[in-house]
């Protein structure tokens, strides 16, 4: 009984233990793997991310210069970010927005010419 | 490298009984598909955090004597191996007949290496 | 007396995952129980034939949604054993810290669900509120809340800064205080004791012979814990398993409750003893030390980080076929595994065993995962006969069933 009274009093004066959601949003910590981004201008289409991706959600075409990612298949492990040789992939801490259908992230870049062609 | 004790088909039940009486806990059994060579079944036992492994090599289509009369807990493992590899065990305490995971009418063994896995470029 | 067969599950309020039990009952007493599995079988073991052995880390993490870190840890230790890689000491400690945090959050989750199973909703909320602190630590230090993906072959992908360590210690202290406040409720409350004491008794001999693992085994009086084998940094931390002797649902929940507090202690101990000689840049063999210039940086920075890493990296000896394309830093793990290994770690639910076989190609030959729930189902079948139907949910939950684990 005494315990109970103590708890009741403590709870009456304690702060709310939940957030008032639409007004107080939790946010994410630094370093949270929320969304995958690519800086397509720096991408060299080496296909490393495509080969290393455990869920095989990335498709790279080095001839056409396209980079696509099935956003719904991505497991946000960050392996592609680690292996990218140019550091053009990055992860931001915000989630992708809610969507009503499956989305594909598609980017078109300029395929890199071979060294010989570039020199000419 | 893993140290294993070779085991022959007729010793399976006797060795299990020996281990049981000696106070070994059965950890699990692992079946490995060795392609042409058939299957390997590894019996893992544990006692005071030390493990010992028996290796049984069998050609395909062999019926292996079950150790579930000795170690009751082997029944799930043996039924699972039956489901995944199609290795039959005789006298399982509770025989699901290949329908532990699968529905009774499904008859394909998903774990057998029927085709060689496609290599990524 | 007439017998009735009652289906229990696959959808049942107490079951977070689909386990189906065919209960043969006489009046209100269970006579026989038969399990049916296969609702969440995903064939993850089979995937080792099409994914390379580095990708398997992320795949084995998804065997279980709760203790993912320990699956990856077990797998990585196995591959390291095959390849003869010695992990830096700091990485071992980091693995320990994350592994123990996983145990804490899993046990808190279970304690909440267990309270919910006998209708104690408020206690459920209280436990999950504490758990949220642990989840925050995960998110801030690993980048994800549950499937943390920090283990790689040869080390860990992230490091803890001193500020993060201090913050973790602070959070852990608050979590411990909050858990201690719940002690009297979960262990001494009249309702809880009435529902748990003497229910689902598993005797000492039965537990061992039926191959029970983890809190099931320790709740029945066996002081056996895979952490005693000294994987990761447990060899250096000094560890005593927690044992209860009654073998009933109450003993098992007491084991888990006390382990939660013990794991928090282990986290603190590991942080305190984490070797400082090796600084953050030297952690792990896998390159990423979580400094911003590595993650979002330019090629030069990465090459620098990579070269820095190479200095202390132990490559498998003798290295088999090295086929790293020139200039690609992607192949952080040199060589391919060849051989067999058996590794064990202690998951929150019990001992987890991996049998790995590699044939020197980039795919593993066989990845056999023996999850703790798989080993705990035969004891469950032995406990159920003789109990009352109303106790079945509590008994089923007391093995902490993780069916995704079981079926893989």
């Amino acid at each position: 009984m005494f315990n109970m009274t103590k708890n009741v009093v403590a709870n009456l004066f304690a702060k709310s233990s939940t957030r008032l959601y639409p007004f107080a949003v939790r946010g994410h910590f630094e370093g949270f793997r929320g969304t995958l981004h690519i800086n397509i201008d720096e991408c060299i289409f080496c296909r490393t991310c495509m080969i290393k991706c455990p869920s095989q959600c990335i498709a790279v075409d080095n001839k056409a210069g396209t980079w696509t990612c099935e956003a719904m298949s991505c497991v946000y492990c960050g392996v592609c970010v680690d292996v990218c040789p140019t550091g053009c992939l990055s992860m931001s801490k915000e989630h992708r927005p809610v969507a009503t259908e499956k989305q594909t992230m598609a980017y078109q870049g300029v395929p890199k010419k071979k060294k010989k062609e570039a020199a000419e | 490298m893993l140290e294993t004790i070779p085991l022959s088909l007729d010793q399976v039940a006797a060795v299990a009984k020996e281990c049981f009486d000696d106070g070994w806990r059965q950890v699990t059994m692992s079946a490995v598909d060795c392609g042409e060579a058939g299957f390997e079944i590894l019996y893992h036992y544990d006692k005071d955090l030390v493990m010992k492994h028996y290796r049984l090599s069998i050609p395909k289509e062999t019926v292996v004597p079950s150790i579930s009369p000795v170690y009751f807990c082997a029944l799930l493992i043996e039924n699972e191996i039956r489901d995944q590899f199609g290795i039959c065990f005789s006298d399982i305490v509770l025989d699901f007949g290949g329908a532990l995971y699968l529905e009774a009418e499904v008859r394909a063994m998903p774990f057998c290496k029927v085709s060689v896995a496609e290599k990524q470029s | 007396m007439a017998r009735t067969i009652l289906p229990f599950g696959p959808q049942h309020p107490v079951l977070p995952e689909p386990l189906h039990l065919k209960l043969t009952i006489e009046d209100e007493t269970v006579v026989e129980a038969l399990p049916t599995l296969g609702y969440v079988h995903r064939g993850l073991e089979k995937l080792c034939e099409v994914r390379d052995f580095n990708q398997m880390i992320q795949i084995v993490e998804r065997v279980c949604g709760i203790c993912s870190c320990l699956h990856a840890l077990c797998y990585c230790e196995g591959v390291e054993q095959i390849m003869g890689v010695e992990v830096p000491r700091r990485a071992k400690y980091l693995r320990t810290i994350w592994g123990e945090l996983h145990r804490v959050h899993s046990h808190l989750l279970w304690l909440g669900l267990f309270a919910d199973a006998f209708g104690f909703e408020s206690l459920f909320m209280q436990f999950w509120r504490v758990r949220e602190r642990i989840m925050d630590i995960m998110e801030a230090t690993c980048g994800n809340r549950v499937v943390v993906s920090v283990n790689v072959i040869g080390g860990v992908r992230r490091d803890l800064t001193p500020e993060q360590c201090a913050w973790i210690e602070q959070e852990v202290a608050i979590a411990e205080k909050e858990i201690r406040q719940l002690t009297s409720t979960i262990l001494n409350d009249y309702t809880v004791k009435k529902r748990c004491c003497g229910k689902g008794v598993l005797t000492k001999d039965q537990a061992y012979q039926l191959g029970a693992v983890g809190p099931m085994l320790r709740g029945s009086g066996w002081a056996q814990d895979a952490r005693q084998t000294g994987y990761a940094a447990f060899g250096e931390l000094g560890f005593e398993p927690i044992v209860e002797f009654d073998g009933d649902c109450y003993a098992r929940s007491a084991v888990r409750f006390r382990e939660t507090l013990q794991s928090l202690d282990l986290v603190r101990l590991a942080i305190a003893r984490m070797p400082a000689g090796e600084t953050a840049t030297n952690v792990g063999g896998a390159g990423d030390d979580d400094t911003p210039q590595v993650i979002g940086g330019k090629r030069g920075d990465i090459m620098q980080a990579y070269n820095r890493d190479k200095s202390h990296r132990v490559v498998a000896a003798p290295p088999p076929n090295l086929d790293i394309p020139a200039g690609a830093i992607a192949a952080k793990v040199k060589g391919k595994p060849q051989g067999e290994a058996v590794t064990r770690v202690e998951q929150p639910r019990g001992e987890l065993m991996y049998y790995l076989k590699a044939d020197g190609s980039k795919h593993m030959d066989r990845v056999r995962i023996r999850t703790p729930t798989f080993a705990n189902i035969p004891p469950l079948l032995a406990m159920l006969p003789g109990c009352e139907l109303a106790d079945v949910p509590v008994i089923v939950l007391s093995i902490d069933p993780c069916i995704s684990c079981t079926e893989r």
Side-chain angles (χ1 to χ4, degrees):
Chain A
M1 188 63 198
F2 179 68
N3 271 335
M4 192 74 127
T5 322
K6 210 168 73 180
N7 278 344
V8 168
V9 174
N11 284 339
L12 272 178
F13 294 101
K15 266 198 307 185
S16 160
S17 54
T18 51
R19 274 180 220 99
L20 296 167
Y21 166 63
F23 308 108
V25 181
R26 176 171 170 272
H28 293 290
F29 290 92
E30 280 307 319
F32 178 69
R33 293 190 282 257
T35 317
L36 180 63
H37 297 288
I38 181 166
N39 180 358
I40 195 74
D41 298 334
E42 283 184 26
C43 181
I44 54 168
F45 304 101
C46 64
R47 308 197 303 155
T48 312
C49 50
M50 178 177 132
I51 294 162
K52 292 284 169 185
C53 175
S55 68
Q56 300 183 342
C57 66
I58 301 176
V60 183
D61 191 330
N62 50 2
K63 297 231 169 59
T66 56
W67 184 94
T68 52
C69 171
E70 297 286 334
M72 298 298 282
S73 307
C74 178
V75 294
Y76 301 98
C77 59
V79 166
C80 50
V81 179
D82 291 356
V83 298
C84 181
T86 62
C88 67
L89 289 168
S90 60
M91 283 212 151
S92 67
K93 63 175 185 170
E94 296 308 323
H95 280 299
R96 290 179 63 79
V98 180
T100 50
E101 52 192 30
K102 290 192 177 180
Q103 292 181 334
T104 308
M105 300 153 64
Y107 291 87
Q108 173 72 51
V110 185
K112 294 287 173 287
K113 286 172 185 157
K114 286 190 181 138
K115 272 182 188 166
K116 273 184 195 168
E117 292 171 26
E120 278 165 8
Chain B
M1 204 66 186
L2 192 68
E3 280 180 22
T4 53
I5 309 162
L7 187 70
S8 68
L9 200 59
D10 48 353
Q11 288 175 323
V12 171
V15 165
K17 185 88 186 86
E18 206 175 281
C19 291
F20 184 85
D21 292 338
D22 210 22
W24 291 79
R25 180 169 63 88
Q26 205 214 5
V27 179
T28 195
M29 291 153 64
S30 311
V32 187
D33 189 342
C34 302
E36 291 295 306
F39 295 106
E40 269 181 5
I41 300 180
L42 282 98
Y43 293 79
H44 311 278
Y45 296 98
D46 167 282
K47 186 182 181 182
D48 299 332
L49 299 165
V50 180
M51 284 180 97
K52 66 173 177 182
H53 318 275
Y54 289 96
R55 188 192 301 271
L56 170 72
S57 299
I58 46 165
K60 291 196 168 154
E61 311 284 321
T62 314
V63 177
V64 182
S66 167
I67 61 165
S68 59
V70 184
Y71 284 101
F72 176 75
C73 52
L75 79 98
L76 268 188
I77 307 164
E78 285 173 349
N79 276 305
E80 189 192 61
I81 293 175
R82 170 81 205 273
D83 270 31
Q84 294 181 336
F85 293 88
I87 304 175
C88 290
F89 290 86
S90 57
D91 312 317
I92 310 183
V93 179
L94 195 65
D95 198 343
F96 286 83
L100 178 67
Y101 287 169
L102 304 166
E103 291 297 315
E105 57 266 26
V106 179
R107 285 274 58 97
M109 301 303 169
F111 248 84
C112 294
K113 286 180 183 168
V114 181
S115 60
V116 177
E118 245 178 76
K119 303 248 166 170
Q120 300 285 317
S121 58
Chain C
M1 196 178 292
R3 290 190 170 190
T4 319
I5 292 181
L6 198 75
F8 179 86
Q11 301 299 329
H12 189 279
V14 303
L15 289 173
E17 289 175 79
L19 169 72
H20 177 68
L21 288 172
K22 261 183 215 147
L23 300 175
T24 311
I25 52 172
E26 252 175 28
D27 255 8
E28 289 276 293
T29 315
V30 178
V31 191
E32 198 187 9
L34 278 179
T36 312
L37 301 170
Y39 295 96
V40 280
H41 177 66
R42 292 152 292 163
L44 296 180
E45 291 180 357
K46 179 81 173 164
L47 264 180
C48 71
E49 288 167 24
V50 286
R51 299 281 203 275
D52 78 34
F53 67 95
N54 280 310
Q55 291 174 330
M56 277 307 283
I57 299 169
Q58 269 74 34
I59 289 162
V60 296
E61 280 194 327
R62 279 157 181 81
V63 167
C64 181
I66 309 292
C67 37
S68 60
C69 180
L70 293 148
H71 274 278
L73 167 58
C74 193
Y75 176 80
C76 290
E77 292 226 331
V79 178
E80 282 153 11
Q81 204 177 315
I82 293 175
M83 297 175 78
V85 179
E86 181 62 32
V87 182
R89 271 185 74 213
R90 192 179 169 93
K92 285 186 181 172
Y93 275 84
L94 287 167
R95 284 176 173 185
T96 310
I97 292 169
W98 281 314
E100 286 308 297
L101 285 172
H102 261 270
R103 189 183 320 281
V104 174
H105 99 73
S106 172
H107 277 346
L108 288 173
L109 175 127
W110 179 82
L111 286 162
L113 287 177
F114 190 57
D116 193 41
F118 46 73
F120 207 150
E121 299 248 342
S122 139
L123 189 58
F124 160 72
M125 293 292 180
Q126 298 285 338
F127 273 117
W128 280 43
R129 189 174 71 177
V130 186
R131 177 173 176 257
E132 208 53 34
R133 285 192 190 281
I134 311 294
M135 304 313 288
D136 281 353
I137 299 179
M138 292 288 183
E139 184 178 330
T141 57
C142 306
N144 276 352
R145 276 163 63 89
V146 178
V147 190
V148 293
S149 192
V150 285
N151 288 299
V152 283
I153 293 158
V156 288
R157 286 168 68 193
R158 297 220 172 185
D159 189 22
L160 297 177
T161 60
E163 295 84 55
Q164 279 178 325
C165 288
W167 177 69
I168 293 176
E169 281 184 329
Q170 195 189 328
E171 286 287 300
V172 160
I174 302 174
E176 187 181 349
K177 195 174 142 238
E178 287 176 344
I179 296 170
R180 283 198 192 280
Q181 281 176 351
L182 300 171
T183 318
S184 61
T185 317
I186 190 79
L187 293 182
N188 298 329
D189 191 84
Y190 175 77
T191 330
V192 178
K193 281 194 154 178
K194 204 77 180 159
R195 286 307 297 272
C196 303
C197 282
K199 307 287 183 208
V201 178
L202 193 67
T203 61
K204 193 173 177 181
D205 287 344
Q206 257 185 331
Y208 195 78
Q209 286 162 7
L210 293 171
V213 290
M216 293 276 284
L217 194 61
R218 293 194 287 280
S220 294
W222 290 90
Q224 199 170 4
D225 190 313
R227 281 177 280 178
Q228 288 166 299
T229 56
Y231 68 89
F234 286 107
E236 299 173 19
L237 286 179
F239 169 79
E240 280 295 320
I242 281 168
V243 189
E244 293 277 334
F245 295 91
D246 294 339
D248 55 3
C249 291
Y250 180 80
R252 290 191 277 275
S253 72
V255 166
R256 291 197 178 97
F257 184 80
R258 286 170 56 202
E259 270 184 8
T260 314
L261 295 169
Q262 185 196 35
S263 290
L264 289 172
D265 281 341
L266 282 169
V267 170
R268 271 184 294 220
L269 192 64
I271 289 178
R273 290 206 196 156
M274 193 152 59
E278 302 242 281
T279 52
T281 48
N282 284 340
V283 170
D288 180 359
D289 53 14
D290 202 26
T291 43
Q293 76 263 24
V294 173
I295 286 179
K298 297 278 184 285
R299 190 179 178 80
D301 291 330
I302 300 170
M303 282 314 287
Q304 204 186 340
Y306 181 61
N307 290 334
R308 203 163 51 203
D309 267 338
K310 269 201 294 200
S311 56
H312 63 270
R313 197 175 153 65
V314 188
V315 184
N321 38 358
L322 294 172
D323 63 344
I324 311 168
I329 11 181
K332 280 164 181 165
V333 177
K334 293 181 180 179
K336 310 242 166 72
Q338 185 166 23
E340 288 175 298
V342 168
T343 39
R344 290 191 289 173
V345 303
E346 185 75 13
Q347 241 194 2
R349 287 163 189 77
E351 167 203 86
L352 168 74
M353 194 209 85
Y354 270 61
Y355 164 75
L356 303 170
K357 188 179 179 194
D359 53 3
S361 74
K362 81 179 176 186
H363 306 286
M364 300 294 279
D365 204 21
R366 176 87 167 106
V367 177
R368 162 87 169 115
I369 308 168
R370 203 296 312 269
T371 54
T373 311
F374 193 83
N376 278 338
I377 284 181
L380 173 70
L381 302 182
M383 282 189 303
L384 283 175
C387 76
E388 279 184 43
L389 184 61
D391 292 330
V392 173
V394 177
I395 295 173
V396 170
L397 212 67
S398 79
I399 73 162
D400 199 353
C402 178
I403 308 303
S404 299
C405 272
T406 311
E407 297 175 8
R408 306 170 299 279

